[in-house]
Amino acid sequence: MAPPAGAAEPVRSRLSRPRGPFRHHAPRCLQPPYQRPYLATIALWASLATLGAALGHVPPFLLTGLGLLAGSLIALPLVRFDVRRLVVPWRTLALGVYGLFGYHFLLFTALGQAPAVEANLVNYLWPLGIVLLAPLLLPGVRLTAAHVGAALAGFAGAAIAILGRGGAAAEAPGNAALGFACAAGAAFIWSTYSLGTKRLALTGRDFPTAAIGGFGLVSGALALVCHALLEPAVNLSGRDIALIAALGLGPLGGAFFLWDKALKLGDARQIGVLSYLTPLLSTALLLWSTGRAISGSVLLATVLILGAAVIGTRAR
């Protein structure tokens, strides 16, 4: 029976009604479901740089292609093996190829040219990029002086990572300048790709998470074509194949599907600050796998980059 005219609104209705300028987004941002896929993504991505460094002798196009093709197989059970459900508009596909192919090619090139730990820290400027570029790509987000300060602190951390390295253990395996440039390029690509997918979701042009498999398939095939045209043929050992399979099913496969789900459920700024849990684990794994001790410059760079992400995300 309806309440009499003038009666107070039920308490449950008043409490459940979202309030404030972000009322349409608040329920999604605060829901635990977005945190679960994201924390799983962190665990998988923490191993990416270590696996990439271990496979540094494999040409980047070949490594990217095989890893992405292996990762794309995860989409098949999601669409019940009906590949027609992976088809998306060509602009959406172009964004996916830009993100998956472009980012990983530059990252693996960076790890093969520059010292792995320092290149990995520069690469992990992408969460800060998400915070700083959000005002340009997402509606309702603005840039403040705090964001600018966070950007300066982040770049200071990257500079220390690049210029503060020393000792034989930190010598670059190739062209260090090229490697650091590729790491910075990878950070830019991943931040703009992530914000681009979020923008599609906010503007009614969303795509199913399973479509990530299509992105990986096209990107992997493109990378193998580039390998055939530009790189020398190599023989892969059994260990190489096992590491590539782990790379594809983990940080180059399952992590993408989880990342896409987290972005669609959560606030990009909150996800940006949580993303800096990844370089802590990733750098620790790299130091352990390469037998390097934590130097003062690496520690200071990590603190600066993490602090920059926290400041940039808290800024309103």
mmCIF file of all heavy atoms in Angstrom, residues 73-120:
data_model
loop_
_atom_site.group_PDB
_atom_site.id
_atom_site.type_symbol
_atom_site.label_atom_id
_atom_site.label_comp_id
_atom_site.label_asym_id
_atom_site.label_seq_id
_atom_site.Cartn_x
_atom_site.Cartn_y
_atom_site.Cartn_z
ATOM 1 N N LEU A 73 44.200 -16.901 -26.828
ATOM 2 C CA LEU A 73 43.444 -18.150 -26.726
ATOM 3 C C LEU A 73 42.473 -18.139 -25.544
ATOM 4 O O LEU A 73 41.495 -18.891 -25.530
ATOM 5 C CB LEU A 73 44.402 -19.333 -26.593
ATOM 6 C CG LEU A 73 45.351 -19.576 -27.783
ATOM 7 C CD1 LEU A 73 46.301 -20.730 -27.481
ATOM 8 C CD2 LEU A 73 44.555 -19.847 -29.054
ATOM 9 N N ILE A 74 42.732 -17.298 -24.554
ATOM 10 C CA ILE A 74 41.855 -17.230 -23.388
ATOM 11 C C ILE A 74 40.449 -16.796 -23.782
ATOM 12 O O ILE A 74 39.456 -17.154 -23.124
ATOM 13 C CB ILE A 74 42.451 -16.279 -22.338
ATOM 14 C CG1 ILE A 74 43.789 -16.828 -21.837
ATOM 15 C CG2 ILE A 74 41.503 -16.047 -21.173
ATOM 16 C CD1 ILE A 74 44.513 -15.907 -20.887
ATOM 17 N N ALA A 75 40.339 -16.017 -24.879
ATOM 18 C CA ALA A 75 39.030 -15.516 -25.296
ATOM 19 C C ALA A 75 38.118 -16.623 -25.816
ATOM 20 O O ALA A 75 36.889 -16.469 -25.783
ATOM 21 C CB ALA A 75 39.193 -14.445 -26.362
ATOM 22 N N LEU A 76 38.676 -17.714 -26.307
ATOM 23 C CA LEU A 76 37.850 -18.742 -26.949
ATOM 24 C C LEU A 76 36.795 -19.326 -26.020
ATOM 25 O O LEU A 76 35.614 -19.382 -26.380
ATOM 26 C CB LEU A 76 38.748 -19.830 -27.533
ATOM 27 C CG LEU A 76 39.628 -19.387 -28.702
ATOM 28 C CD1 LEU A 76 40.503 -20.538 -29.183
ATOM 29 C CD2 LEU A 76 38.771 -18.849 -29.847
ATOM 30 N N PRO A 77 37.148 -19.775 -24.820
ATOM 31 C CA PRO A 77 36.072 -20.274 -23.946
ATOM 32 C C PRO A 77 35.104 -19.183 -23.499
ATOM 33 O O PRO A 77 33.945 -19.471 -23.190
ATOM 34 C CB PRO A 77 36.839 -20.872 -22.756
ATOM 35 C CG PRO A 77 38.174 -20.229 -22.777
ATOM 36 C CD PRO A 77 38.479 -19.980 -24.220
ATOM 37 N N LEU A 78 35.549 -17.915 -23.488
ATOM 38 C CA LEU A 78 34.656 -16.830 -23.082
ATOM 39 C C LEU A 78 33.539 -16.612 -24.088
ATOM 40 O O LEU A 78 32.447 -16.150 -23.729
ATOM 41 C CB LEU A 78 35.453 -15.533 -22.893
ATOM 42 C CG LEU A 78 36.517 -15.532 -21.786
ATOM 43 C CD1 LEU A 78 37.215 -14.184 -21.731
ATOM 44 C CD2 LEU A 78 35.892 -15.861 -20.432
ATOM 45 N N VAL A 79 33.802 -16.897 -25.368
ATOM 46 C CA VAL A 79 32.785 -16.740 -26.418
ATOM 47 C C VAL A 79 32.278 -18.094 -26.889
ATOM 48 O O VAL A 79 31.672 -18.199 -27.951
ATOM 49 C CB VAL A 79 33.342 -15.936 -27.607
ATOM 50 C CG1 VAL A 79 33.685 -14.521 -27.177
ATOM 51 C CG2 VAL A 79 34.566 -16.614 -28.216
ATOM 52 N N ARG A 80 32.551 -19.151 -26.103
ATOM 53 C CA ARG A 80 32.120 -20.513 -26.435
ATOM 54 C C ARG A 80 32.603 -20.927 -27.818
ATOM 55 O O ARG A 80 31.883 -21.572 -28.577
ATOM 56 C CB ARG A 80 30.601 -20.632 -26.322
ATOM 57 C CG ARG A 80 30.078 -20.347 -24.914
ATOM 58 C CD ARG A 80 28.585 -20.510 -24.815
ATOM 59 N NE ARG A 80 28.126 -20.258 -23.438
ATOM 60 C CZ ARG A 80 26.860 -20.324 -23.053
ATOM 61 N NH1 ARG A 80 25.913 -20.626 -23.938
ATOM 62 N NH2 ARG A 80 26.530 -20.084 -21.793
ATOM 63 N N PHE A 81 33.822 -20.504 -28.131
ATOM 64 C CA PHE A 81 34.519 -20.869 -29.364
ATOM 65 C C PHE A 81 33.813 -20.358 -30.619
ATOM 66 O O PHE A 81 34.019 -20.891 -31.707
ATOM 67 C CB PHE A 81 34.732 -22.385 -29.435
ATOM 68 C CG PHE A 81 35.606 -22.902 -28.329
ATOM 69 C CD1 PHE A 81 35.047 -23.309 -27.120
ATOM 70 C CD2 PHE A 81 36.982 -22.936 -28.477
ATOM 71 C CE1 PHE A 81 35.847 -23.762 -26.079
ATOM 72 C CE2 PHE A 81 37.795 -23.390 -27.444
ATOM 73 C CZ PHE A 81 37.220 -23.808 -26.248
ATOM 74 N N ASP A 82 33.009 -19.322 -30.468
ATOM 75 C CA ASP A 82 32.370 -18.653 -31.606
ATOM 76 C C ASP A 82 33.153 -17.371 -31.890
ATOM 77 O O ASP A 82 32.913 -16.330 -31.274
ATOM 78 C CB ASP A 82 30.912 -18.329 -31.280
ATOM 79 C CG ASP A 82 30.173 -17.692 -32.451
ATOM 80 O OD1 ASP A 82 30.795 -17.516 -33.527
ATOM 81 O OD2 ASP A 82 28.976 -17.363 -32.292
ATOM 82 N N VAL A 83 34.104 -17.440 -32.824
ATOM 83 C CA VAL A 83 35.005 -16.313 -33.066
ATOM 84 C C VAL A 83 34.278 -15.103 -33.629
ATOM 85 O O VAL A 83 34.816 -13.985 -33.587
ATOM 86 C CB VAL A 83 36.152 -16.736 -34.006
ATOM 87 C CG1 VAL A 83 37.025 -17.779 -33.355
ATOM 88 C CG2 VAL A 83 35.611 -17.243 -35.335
ATOM 89 N N ARG A 84 33.075 -15.284 -34.146
ATOM 90 C CA ARG A 84 32.333 -14.139 -34.674
ATOM 91 C C ARG A 84 32.003 -13.135 -33.569
ATOM 92 O O ARG A 84 31.821 -11.943 -33.840
ATOM 93 C CB ARG A 84 31.038 -14.613 -35.336
ATOM 94 C CG ARG A 84 31.258 -15.436 -36.608
ATOM 95 C CD ARG A 84 29.953 -16.018 -37.104
ATOM 96 N NE ARG A 84 29.370 -16.927 -36.111
ATOM 97 C CZ ARG A 84 28.211 -17.566 -36.288
ATOM 98 N NH1 ARG A 84 27.511 -17.369 -37.397
ATOM 99 N NH2 ARG A 84 27.752 -18.379 -35.344
ATOM 100 N N ARG A 85 31.946 -13.601 -32.340
ATOM 101 C CA ARG A 85 31.631 -12.715 -31.221
ATOM 102 C C ARG A 85 32.816 -11.847 -30.824
ATOM 103 O O ARG A 85 32.690 -10.975 -29.956
ATOM 104 C CB ARG A 85 31.160 -13.545 -30.032
ATOM 105 C CG ARG A 85 29.847 -14.273 -30.301
ATOM 106 C CD ARG A 85 29.517 -15.266 -29.197
ATOM 107 N NE ARG A 85 29.341 -14.609 -27.901
ATOM 108 C CZ ARG A 85 29.128 -15.261 -26.764
ATOM 109 N NH1 ARG A 85 29.070 -16.593 -26.769
ATOM 110 N NH2 ARG A 85 28.988 -14.595 -25.632
ATOM 111 N N LEU A 86 33.968 -12.059 -31.454
ATOM 112 C CA LEU A 86 35.149 -11.239 -31.177
ATOM 113 C C LEU A 86 35.238 -10.023 -32.101
ATOM 114 O O LEU A 86 36.116 -9.183 -31.931
ATOM 115 C CB LEU A 86 36.423 -12.081 -31.327
ATOM 116 C CG LEU A 86 36.566 -13.279 -30.390
ATOM 117 C CD1 LEU A 86 37.838 -14.044 -30.706
ATOM 118 C CD2 LEU A 86 36.563 -12.833 -28.932
ATOM 119 N N VAL A 87 34.329 -9.933 -33.074
ATOM 120 C CA VAL A 87 34.382 -8.843 -34.050
ATOM 121 C C VAL A 87 33.925 -7.538 -33.394
ATOM 122 O O VAL A 87 32.889 -7.497 -32.716
ATOM 123 C CB VAL A 87 33.495 -9.162 -35.267
ATOM 124 C CG1 VAL A 87 33.493 -7.991 -36.251
ATOM 125 C CG2 VAL A 87 33.988 -10.432 -35.958
ATOM 126 N N VAL A 88 34.707 -6.478 -33.591
ATOM 127 C CA VAL A 88 34.384 -5.143 -33.072
ATOM 128 C C VAL A 88 34.583 -4.124 -34.189
ATOM 129 O O VAL A 88 35.213 -4.430 -35.217
ATOM 130 C CB VAL A 88 35.283 -4.776 -31.868
ATOM 131 C CG1 VAL A 88 35.023 -5.692 -30.684
ATOM 132 C CG2 VAL A 88 36.765 -4.829 -32.261
ATOM 133 N N PRO A 89 34.057 -2.892 -34.055
ATOM 134 C CA PRO A 89 34.307 -1.853 -35.064
ATOM 135 C C PRO A 89 35.803 -1.629 -35.274
ATOM 136 O O PRO A 89 36.612 -1.792 -34.359
ATOM 137 C CB PRO A 89 33.635 -0.607 -34.462
ATOM 138 C CG PRO A 89 32.565 -1.151 -33.566
ATOM 139 C CD PRO A 89 33.126 -2.426 -32.998
ATOM 140 N N TRP A 90 36.164 -1.208 -36.483
ATOM 141 C CA TRP A 90 37.584 -1.125 -36.826
ATOM 142 C C TRP A 90 38.327 -0.105 -35.963
ATOM 143 O O TRP A 90 39.506 -0.293 -35.657
ATOM 144 C CB TRP A 90 37.760 -0.803 -38.311
ATOM 145 C CG TRP A 90 37.373 0.594 -38.723
ATOM 146 C CD1 TRP A 90 36.186 1.028 -39.197
ATOM 147 C CD2 TRP A 90 38.234 1.743 -38.697
ATOM 148 N NE1 TRP A 90 36.220 2.376 -39.457
ATOM 149 C CE2 TRP A 90 37.470 2.843 -39.176
ATOM 150 C CE3 TRP A 90 39.563 1.962 -38.332
ATOM 151 C CZ2 TRP A 90 37.988 4.125 -39.283
ATOM 152 C CZ3 TRP A 90 40.091 3.248 -38.442
ATOM 153 C CH2 TRP A 90 39.314 4.314 -38.910
ATOM 154 N N ARG A 91 37.649 0.954 -35.552
ATOM 155 C CA ARG A 91 38.317 1.939 -34.692
ATOM 156 C C ARG A 91 38.618 1.354 -33.320
ATOM 157 O O ARG A 91 39.666 1.644 -32.728
ATOM 158 C CB ARG A 91 37.446 3.192 -34.556
ATOM 159 C CG ARG A 91 37.356 4.011 -35.849
ATOM 160 C CD ARG A 91 36.586 5.300 -35.627
ATOM 161 N NE ARG A 91 36.531 6.096 -36.847
ATOM 162 C CZ ARG A 91 35.921 7.268 -36.964
ATOM 163 N NH1 ARG A 91 35.304 7.779 -35.888
ATOM 164 N NH2 ARG A 91 35.914 7.923 -38.098
ATOM 165 N N THR A 92 37.713 0.544 -32.808
ATOM 166 C CA THR A 92 37.967 -0.126 -31.532
ATOM 167 C C THR A 92 39.123 -1.106 -31.677
ATOM 168 O O THR A 92 39.988 -1.200 -30.796
ATOM 169 C CB THR A 92 36.700 -0.862 -31.061
ATOM 170 O OG1 THR A 92 35.621 0.076 -30.948
ATOM 171 C CG2 THR A 92 36.931 -1.533 -29.716
ATOM 172 N N LEU A 93 39.144 -1.838 -32.796
ATOM 173 C CA LEU A 93 40.241 -2.774 -33.048
ATOM 174 C C LEU A 93 41.569 -2.033 -33.162
ATOM 175 O O LEU A 93 42.602 -2.494 -32.634
ATOM 176 C CB LEU A 93 39.965 -3.564 -34.325
ATOM 177 C CG LEU A 93 41.032 -4.575 -34.737
ATOM 178 C CD1 LEU A 93 41.207 -5.651 -33.674
ATOM 179 C CD2 LEU A 93 40.683 -5.203 -36.083
ATOM 180 N N ALA A 94 41.561 -0.874 -33.825
ATOM 181 C CA ALA A 94 42.791 -0.092 -33.968
ATOM 182 C C ALA A 94 43.312 0.350 -32.598
ATOM 183 O O ALA A 94 44.528 0.335 -32.347
ATOM 184 C CB ALA A 94 42.549 1.124 -34.862
ATOM 185 N N LEU A 95 42.406 0.751 -31.712
ATOM 186 C CA LEU A 95 42.820 1.130 -30.362
ATOM 187 C C LEU A 95 43.441 -0.055 -29.639
ATOM 188 O O LEU A 95 44.472 0.087 -28.962
ATOM 189 C CB LEU A 95 41.616 1.649 -29.571
ATOM 190 C CG LEU A 95 41.868 1.994 -28.100
ATOM 191 C CD1 LEU A 95 42.848 3.156 -27.972
ATOM 192 C CD2 LEU A 95 40.552 2.321 -27.386
ATOM 193 N N GLY A 96 42.839 -1.220 -29.771
ATOM 194 C CA GLY A 96 43.381 -2.405 -29.121
ATOM 195 C C GLY A 96 44.747 -2.798 -29.640
ATOM 196 O O GLY A 96 45.643 -3.153 -28.864
ATOM 197 N N VAL A 97 44.938 -2.718 -30.955
ATOM 198 C CA VAL A 97 46.238 -3.051 -31.540
ATOM 199 C C VAL A 97 47.289 -2.027 -31.125
ATOM 200 O O VAL A 97 48.438 -2.372 -30.828
ATOM 201 C CB VAL A 97 46.121 -3.141 -33.070
ATOM 202 C CG1 VAL A 97 47.504 -3.311 -33.721
ATOM 203 C CG2 VAL A 97 45.210 -4.304 -33.468
ATOM 204 N N TYR A 98 46.896 -0.761 -31.102
ATOM 205 C CA TYR A 98 47.788 0.304 -30.629
ATOM 206 C C TYR A 98 48.284 0.009 -29.223
ATOM 207 O O TYR A 98 49.484 0.137 -28.926
ATOM 208 C CB TYR A 98 47.035 1.633 -30.676
ATOM 209 C CG TYR A 98 47.629 2.754 -29.851
ATOM 210 C CD1 TYR A 98 48.729 3.474 -30.314
ATOM 211 C CD2 TYR A 98 47.063 3.121 -28.628
ATOM 212 C CE1 TYR A 98 49.257 4.522 -29.566
ATOM 213 C CE2 TYR A 98 47.580 4.158 -27.886
ATOM 214 C CZ TYR A 98 48.678 4.862 -28.350
ATOM 215 O OH TYR A 98 49.197 5.887 -27.609
ATOM 216 N N GLY A 99 47.360 -0.407 -28.346
ATOM 217 C CA GLY A 99 47.741 -0.663 -26.961
ATOM 218 C C GLY A 99 48.556 -1.925 -26.791
ATOM 219 O O GLY A 99 49.653 -1.900 -26.227
ATOM 220 N N LEU A 100 48.057 -3.031 -27.298
ATOM 221 C CA LEU A 100 48.709 -4.312 -27.034
ATOM 222 C C LEU A 100 49.996 -4.489 -27.828
ATOM 223 O O LEU A 100 51.040 -4.855 -27.282
ATOM 224 C CB LEU A 100 47.745 -5.469 -27.330
ATOM 225 C CG LEU A 100 46.878 -5.918 -26.148
ATOM 226 C CD1 LEU A 100 45.969 -4.788 -25.678
ATOM 227 C CD2 LEU A 100 46.051 -7.142 -26.517
ATOM 228 N N PHE A 101 49.945 -4.212 -29.123
ATOM 229 C CA PHE A 101 51.145 -4.386 -29.939
ATOM 230 C C PHE A 101 52.180 -3.306 -29.648
ATOM 231 O O PHE A 101 53.355 -3.603 -29.394
ATOM 232 C CB PHE A 101 50.776 -4.364 -31.421
ATOM 233 C CG PHE A 101 51.969 -4.323 -32.333
ATOM 234 C CD1 PHE A 101 52.770 -5.439 -32.508
ATOM 235 C CD2 PHE A 101 52.304 -3.162 -33.013
ATOM 236 C CE1 PHE A 101 53.879 -5.407 -33.342
ATOM 237 C CE2 PHE A 101 53.396 -3.113 -33.848
ATOM 238 C CZ PHE A 101 54.198 -4.241 -34.015
ATOM 239 N N GLY A 102 51.739 -2.046 -29.659
ATOM 240 C CA GLY A 102 52.685 -0.946 -29.476
ATOM 241 C C GLY A 102 53.368 -0.983 -28.119
ATOM 242 O O GLY A 102 54.594 -0.840 -28.029
ATOM 243 N N TYR A 103 52.584 -1.183 -27.073
ATOM 244 C CA TYR A 103 53.159 -1.167 -25.732
ATOM 245 C C TYR A 103 54.193 -2.272 -25.535
ATOM 246 O O TYR A 103 55.306 -2.020 -25.062
ATOM 247 C CB TYR A 103 52.050 -1.308 -24.691
ATOM 248 C CG TYR A 103 52.573 -1.513 -23.292
ATOM 249 C CD1 TYR A 103 53.127 -0.455 -22.571
ATOM 250 C CD2 TYR A 103 52.546 -2.772 -22.697
ATOM 251 C CE1 TYR A 103 53.618 -0.638 -21.285
ATOM 252 C CE2 TYR A 103 53.039 -2.959 -21.415
ATOM 253 C CZ TYR A 103 53.571 -1.898 -20.718
ATOM 254 O OH TYR A 103 54.077 -2.089 -19.453
ATOM 255 N N HIS A 104 53.841 -3.484 -25.878
ATOM 256 C CA HIS A 104 54.745 -4.590 -25.565
ATOM 257 C C HIS A 104 55.970 -4.635 -26.463
ATOM 258 O O HIS A 104 57.054 -5.031 -26.016
ATOM 259 C CB HIS A 104 53.986 -5.918 -25.608
ATOM 260 C CG HIS A 104 53.037 -6.051 -24.466
ATOM 261 N ND1 HIS A 104 51.701 -5.752 -24.568
ATOM 262 C CD2 HIS A 104 53.255 -6.389 -23.168
ATOM 263 C CE1 HIS A 104 51.129 -5.922 -23.393
ATOM 264 N NE2 HIS A 104 52.038 -6.303 -22.523
ATOM 265 N N PHE A 105 55.824 -4.191 -27.693
ATOM 266 C CA PHE A 105 57.028 -4.122 -28.518
ATOM 267 C C PHE A 105 58.026 -3.135 -27.944
ATOM 268 O O PHE A 105 59.226 -3.415 -27.841
ATOM 269 C CB PHE A 105 56.680 -3.745 -29.958
ATOM 270 C CG PHE A 105 57.902 -3.500 -30.792
ATOM 271 C CD1 PHE A 105 58.740 -4.538 -31.152
ATOM 272 C CD2 PHE A 105 58.246 -2.216 -31.201
ATOM 273 C CE1 PHE A 105 59.882 -4.324 -31.911
ATOM 274 C CE2 PHE A 105 59.377 -1.981 -31.945
ATOM 275 C CZ PHE A 105 60.204 -3.038 -32.310
ATOM 276 N N LEU A 106 57.543 -1.950 -27.540
ATOM 277 C CA LEU A 106 58.456 -0.956 -26.970
ATOM 278 C C LEU A 106 59.017 -1.426 -25.632
ATOM 279 O O LEU A 106 60.196 -1.203 -25.333
ATOM 280 C CB LEU A 106 57.721 0.373 -26.797
ATOM 281 C CG LEU A 106 57.409 1.147 -28.075
ATOM 282 C CD1 LEU A 106 56.702 2.455 -27.749
ATOM 283 C CD2 LEU A 106 58.661 1.421 -28.891
ATOM 284 N N LEU A 107 58.193 -2.090 -24.817
ATOM 285 C CA LEU A 107 58.674 -2.546 -23.516
ATOM 286 C C LEU A 107 59.778 -3.586 -23.668
ATOM 287 O O LEU A 107 60.824 -3.495 -23.017
ATOM 288 C CB LEU A 107 57.520 -3.129 -22.702
ATOM 289 C CG LEU A 107 57.927 -3.752 -21.360
ATOM 290 C CD1 LEU A 107 58.560 -2.712 -20.447
ATOM 291 C CD2 LEU A 107 56.730 -4.401 -20.686
ATOM 292 N N PHE A 108 59.563 -4.580 -24.522
ATOM 293 C CA PHE A 108 60.579 -5.623 -24.679
ATOM 294 C C PHE A 108 61.844 -5.073 -25.331
ATOM 295 O O PHE A 108 62.950 -5.536 -25.037
ATOM 296 C CB PHE A 108 60.015 -6.792 -25.483
ATOM 297 C CG PHE A 108 58.956 -7.565 -24.746
ATOM 298 C CD1 PHE A 108 57.788 -7.952 -25.383
ATOM 299 C CD2 PHE A 108 59.109 -7.875 -23.407
ATOM 300 C CE1 PHE A 108 56.806 -8.657 -24.706
ATOM 301 C CE2 PHE A 108 58.130 -8.578 -22.717
ATOM 302 C CZ PHE A 108 56.980 -8.967 -23.374
ATOM 303 N N THR A 109 61.692 -4.088 -26.220
ATOM 304 C CA THR A 109 62.870 -3.434 -26.792
ATOM 305 C C THR A 109 63.640 -2.700 -25.704
ATOM 306 O O THR A 109 64.875 -2.758 -25.637
ATOM 307 C CB THR A 109 62.459 -2.444 -27.898
ATOM 308 O OG1 THR A 109 61.772 -3.147 -28.930
ATOM 309 C CG2 THR A 109 63.688 -1.763 -28.491
ATOM 310 N N ALA A 110 62.912 -2.009 -24.810
ATOM 311 C CA ALA A 110 63.559 -1.291 -23.711
ATOM 312 C C ALA A 110 64.323 -2.239 -22.802
ATOM 313 O O ALA A 110 65.464 -1.965 -22.412
ATOM 314 C CB ALA A 110 62.502 -0.522 -22.902
ATOM 315 N N LEU A 111 63.714 -3.369 -22.459
ATOM 316 C CA LEU A 111 64.370 -4.318 -21.563
ATOM 317 C C LEU A 111 65.583 -4.971 -22.214
ATOM 318 O O LEU A 111 66.497 -5.414 -21.524
ATOM 319 C CB LEU A 111 63.377 -5.406 -21.130
ATOM 320 C CG LEU A 111 62.215 -4.920 -20.249
ATOM 321 C CD1 LEU A 111 61.230 -6.051 -20.018
ATOM 322 C CD2 LEU A 111 62.729 -4.375 -18.931
ATOM 323 N N GLY A 112 65.610 -5.008 -23.543
ATOM 324 C CA GLY A 112 66.754 -5.577 -24.248
ATOM 325 C C GLY A 112 67.885 -4.588 -24.477
ATOM 326 O O GLY A 112 69.004 -4.996 -24.811
ATOM 327 N N GLN A 113 67.599 -3.286 -24.305
ATOM 328 C CA GLN A 113 68.602 -2.262 -24.589
ATOM 329 C C GLN A 113 69.135 -1.584 -23.324
ATOM 330 O O GLN A 113 70.328 -1.314 -23.222
ATOM 331 C CB GLN A 113 68.005 -1.193 -25.522
ATOM 332 C CG GLN A 113 67.637 -1.688 -26.899
ATOM 333 C CD GLN A 113 68.845 -2.054 -27.730
ATOM 334 O OE1 GLN A 113 69.903 -1.439 -27.631
ATOM 335 N NE2 GLN A 113 68.708 -3.091 -28.550
ATOM 336 N N ALA A 114 68.254 -1.283 -22.382
ATOM 337 C CA ALA A 114 68.635 -0.554 -21.169
ATOM 338 C C ALA A 114 68.686 -1.520 -19.988
ATOM 339 O O ALA A 114 68.148 -2.627 -20.052
ATOM 340 C CB ALA A 114 67.626 0.565 -20.899
ATOM 341 N N PRO A 115 69.332 -1.118 -18.879
ATOM 342 C CA PRO A 115 69.294 -1.950 -17.669
ATOM 343 C C PRO A 115 67.857 -2.233 -17.271
ATOM 344 O O PRO A 115 67.024 -1.321 -17.206
ATOM 345 C CB PRO A 115 70.013 -1.083 -16.626
ATOM 346 C CG PRO A 115 70.908 -0.198 -17.422
ATOM 347 C CD PRO A 115 70.164 0.084 -18.699
ATOM 348 N N ALA A 116 67.546 -3.495 -16.993
ATOM 349 C CA ALA A 116 66.162 -3.920 -16.847
ATOM 350 C C ALA A 116 65.443 -3.212 -15.706
ATOM 351 O O ALA A 116 64.291 -2.791 -15.854
ATOM 352 C CB ALA A 116 66.101 -5.433 -16.649
ATOM 353 N N VAL A 117 66.085 -3.060 -14.544
ATOM 354 C CA VAL A 117 65.414 -2.465 -13.391
ATOM 355 C C VAL A 117 65.054 -1.012 -13.664
ATOM 356 O O VAL A 117 63.924 -0.568 -13.431
ATOM 357 C CB VAL A 117 66.292 -2.584 -12.130
ATOM 358 C CG1 VAL A 117 65.689 -1.803 -10.969
ATOM 359 C CG2 VAL A 117 66.463 -4.054 -11.747
ATOM 360 N N GLU A 118 66.003 -0.228 -14.165
ATOM 361 C CA GLU A 118 65.757 1.185 -14.420
ATOM 362 C C GLU A 118 64.740 1.385 -15.544
ATOM 363 O O GLU A 118 63.853 2.246 -15.467
ATOM 364 C CB GLU A 118 67.070 1.904 -14.761
ATOM 365 C CG GLU A 118 67.988 2.101 -13.573
ATOM 366 C CD GLU A 118 68.850 0.869 -13.273
ATOM 367 O OE1 GLU A 118 68.591 -0.212 -13.846
ATOM 368 O OE2 GLU A 118 69.787 0.995 -12.457
ATOM 369 N N ALA A 119 64.847 0.575 -16.615
ATOM 370 C CA ALA A 119 63.878 0.671 -17.705
ATOM 371 C C ALA A 119 62.478 0.327 -17.215
ATOM 372 O O ALA A 119 61.487 0.938 -17.631
ATOM 373 C CB ALA A 119 64.280 -0.256 -18.854
ATOM 374 N N ASN A 120 62.389 -0.630 -16.323
ATOM 375 C CA ASN A 120 61.087 -1.016 -15.786
ATOM 376 C C ASN A 120 60.479 0.106 -14.955
ATOM 377 O O ASN A 120 59.269 0.344 -15.003
ATOM 378 C CB ASN A 120 61.241 -2.272 -14.925
ATOM 379 C CG ASN A 120 59.910 -2.895 -14.569
ATOM 380 O OD1 ASN A 120 59.033 -3.004 -15.409
ATOM 381 N ND2 ASN A 120 59.760 -3.313 -13.325
#
